[in-house]
Amino acid sequence: MTLPNFMIIGVAKAGTTSLYRYLDQHPQVFMCPMKGTNFFGYEDARNWHWTDEGDPPLLRNFPVRTFEAYEAAFAGVTDEIAIGEASPQYFRCPTAARRIREVLPHARLIASLRNPADRAFSGYLMRIRRGEAAKNAYEDLTPEASHVKEGFYYRRLRRFYDLFPREQIKIILFEEFKKEPVRVVQELFEFLEVDPEFVPDTSARHNPAAVPKSRLLNRFFFHPTVIRTAKALLPGRAQDLARQIRQQNLKPPPKFPADLRARLLQLYRDDILQVEALIDRDLSIWLEDIREVA
């Protein structure tokens, strides 16, 4: 039986797709071909009752629902040293940490954290890109909004720190990853005990922020049935072509309104300080932003 010995647990909109792609380049690393099995969060998603955690996750984002299917997802493992998966939903599912601990107590956990205000705005842009109903940023990014609630990291991180030894948890900051991707990924190689000298190709950016030129066309591209059908019927090259066409319908996103960003940063301030103490990392890169916009 082959199961992962590490996983990227989140957070969403903090570079997890790029991390997944860059780690997958290493010859000593096996990444589950399916990004986002979200297996350990499925029971939470199907019985969501944590209103303070935000809106319930969409069940379609939890494709692996049995232990047998989860094990099968790693059938391609050969002689790799580090075996991993990336499921950002684990960070927000309240019992995922406990479920992971029960099955994989020695797993190493990677969390990418991003300035929570910027993460919330990126989540808002993602909804627009997918063709979902969205108002303007001021109306959608209120303290009650799910994207905003997901930026309170302390309680979510604490679940993992309460159950796993600190040496099994690696925190990276999205802002540092964006600035020096090779250095950060090589630090992850070292954490996973594979050759840290391997240099990944980090030239490609995955899931960059963008909004659609045509919302109608974009709604078609992101319709779940269309995506499932394309994956089932189209060969790999045709799927790549479809993705390229979808990308051509995107344009640069609007800027984050400075006053709204300032409001959200003040909302997150105390939580940021708690996270800083919990992970014993300098988060002045976020706190300086607070002072700049205050």
Side-chain angles (χ1 to χ4, degrees):
M1 178 173 66
T2 301
L3 291 173
N5 52 30
F6 82 91
M7 56 184 63
I8 300 171
I9 59 173
V11 301
K13 310 311 300 175
T16 56
T17 300
S18 292
L19 281 176
Y20 170 80
R21 300 295 184 189
Y22 301 160
L23 288 173
D24 194 39
Q25 295 176 26
H26 199 297
Q28 296 175 311
V29 176
F30 177 91
M31 293 302 297
C32 176
M34 180 190 304
K35 179 181 182 286
T37 72
N38 293 318
F39 169 65
F40 292 103
Y42 172 60
E43 291 302 323
D44 286 352
R46 68 192 289 265
N47 186 32
W48 191 264
H49 55 270
W50 297 275
T51 55
D52 57 334
E53 298 279 356
D55 298 336
L58 298 174
L59 283 178
R60 68 169 182 255
N61 293 329
F62 294 76
V64 177
R65 302 178 179 185
T66 67
F67 182 77
E68 292 74 19
Y70 187 67
E71 183 182 0
F74 299 91
V77 174
T78 54
D79 60 350
E80 293 86 359
I81 296 172
I83 302 165
E85 67 140 325
S87 291
Q89 290 286 352
Y90 292 159
F91 194 76
R92 68 177 302 231
C93 288
T95 72
R98 175 177 58 79
R99 295 176 189 277
I100 294 170
R101 177 69 174 78
E102 289 172 353
V103 179
L104 303 169
H106 303 296
R108 302 183 188 200
L109 309 175
I110 299 169
S112 176
L113 303 182
R114 181 181 187 177
N115 178 307
D118 294 338
R119 197 221 64 82
F121 186 64
S122 181
Y124 162 74
L125 294 177
M126 179 182 67
R127 286 184 55 201
I128 296 176
R129 186 168 73 246
R130 289 180 174 175
E132 299 175 14
K135 302 175 183 177
N136 65 56
Y138 291 93
E139 293 179 277
D140 266 14
L141 296 179
T142 65
E144 295 75 30
S146 187
H147 282 308
V148 174
K149 289 181 178 180
E150 290 172 29
F152 290 96
Y153 300 147
Y154 175 74
R155 179 172 56 185
R156 293 167 171 80
L157 268 179
R158 187 64 187 264
R159 295 172 188 147
F160 291 92
Y161 275 89
D162 284 346
L163 294 173
F164 290 86
R166 284 180 172 268
E167 58 268 22
Q168 287 178 223
I169 303 175
K170 177 72 171 178
I171 304 295
I172 69 172
L173 301 184
F174 172 80
E175 292 78 9
E176 294 179 355
F177 173 50
K178 185 177 180 180
K179 185 178 180 180
E180 299 182 273
V182 172
R183 177 186 66 79
V184 171
V185 174
Q186 286 184 322
E187 287 181 0
L188 290 180
F189 290 154
E190 186 172 7
F191 173 65
L192 298 175
E193 296 184 348
V194 297
D195 180 10
E197 299 301 318
F198 179 82
V199 180
D201 177 3
T202 61
S203 58
R205 291 184 61 202
H206 300 276
N207 285 348
V211 293
K213 298 174 184 176
S214 167
R215 296 194 66 176
L216 181 62
L217 183 60
N218 199 64
R219 197 173 294 121
F220 169 78
F221 280 137
F222 280 96
H223 194 283
T225 302
V226 173
I227 294 174
R228 284 197 302 269
T229 303
K231 288 182 177 180
L233 300 180
L234 296 180
R237 290 184 179 179
Q239 291 184 37
D240 290 340
L241 178 60
R243 279 190 287 268
Q244 291 175 18
I245 295 174
R246 188 172 67 188
Q247 287 298 116
Q248 291 176 0
N249 185 48
L250 299 177
K251 62 183 180 180
K255 290 188 178 299
F256 194 173
D259 58 334
L260 176 58
R261 188 171 187 268
R263 191 184 312 163
L264 291 178
L265 285 172
Q266 289 293 351
L267 184 68
Y268 289 127
R269 183 179 183 278
D270 290 344
D271 191 79
I272 290 172
L273 293 173
Q274 287 181 301
V275 172
E276 186 175 58
L278 176 65
I279 67 176
D280 194 24
R281 288 280 301 274
D282 179 11
L283 295 181
S284 60
I285 189 172
W286 299 346
L287 297 173
E288 286 173 0
D289 286 345
I290 292 177
R291 287 192 289 270
E292 287 176 5
V293 296

